[in-house]
Amino acid sequence: MLPAAAAYYLPWELQCAGVQEGESVRTFGRLTCYKQDKSTATLTAQHASKDHHVVINTSLVEPFHPIIGAQYLVVGETETAAGVDMMVRARVLNCVDGVNIPLLQKAIMEQRSFFKEREGQQNAT
């Protein structure tokens, strides 16, 4: 059985948006750290002059050839791990270096608005 369609979460929302363990998510960030021996990577994004880190389990996407400093998009499921509040077990981890991040954020917000409006119309009928 396939997992549920992944919802976009901005990196700073993953810790505080009430994301449940096992939920399918999509997020992005700049690769700042990769530990091959532990199969983990760290994506970082800046919001409101604060760095937000997302730990990624890369065991399902290896061999993984990291480009430190490049932008990555990840699709996977959330899980808890020792020493980390929330980790994403990556099913897809793509380098998207060159993507206009503010435009991506705007697109995510527009998509949320569309889905919310569509849901409201369906509930009204």
Side-chain angles (χ1 to χ4, degrees), residues 8-98:
Y8 262 111
Y9 285 93
L10 301 173
W12 46 92
E13 295 175 336
L14 280 174
Q15 304 299 333
C16 61
V19 179
Q20 302 297 317
E21 183 171 1
E23 187 175 338
S24 294
V25 298
R26 291 185 241 181
T27 193
F28 60 89
R30 187 168 302 282
L31 182 65
T32 54
C33 179
Y34 175 61
K35 297 178 182 173
Q36 185 176 8
D37 58 326
K38 295 183 180 182
S39 293
T40 60
T42 303
L43 300 181
T44 303
Q46 191 173 29
H47 176 68
S49 72
K50 183 177 177 193
D51 284 340
H52 299 272
H53 306 284
V54 179
V55 178
I56 308 297
N57 180 324
T58 61
S59 61
L60 296 178
V61 295
E62 291 185 352
F64 173 57
H65 305 289
I67 302 170
I68 302 296
Q71 289 286 344
Y72 279 83
L73 180 76
V74 63
V75 179
E77 288 77 43
T78 57
E79 61 182 32
T80 55
V84 179
D85 291 336
M86 185 72 62
M87 178 184 279
V88 176
R89 179 177 293 272
R91 294 198 178 269
V92 176
L93 186 60
N94 283 339
C95 179
V96 292
D97 213 15

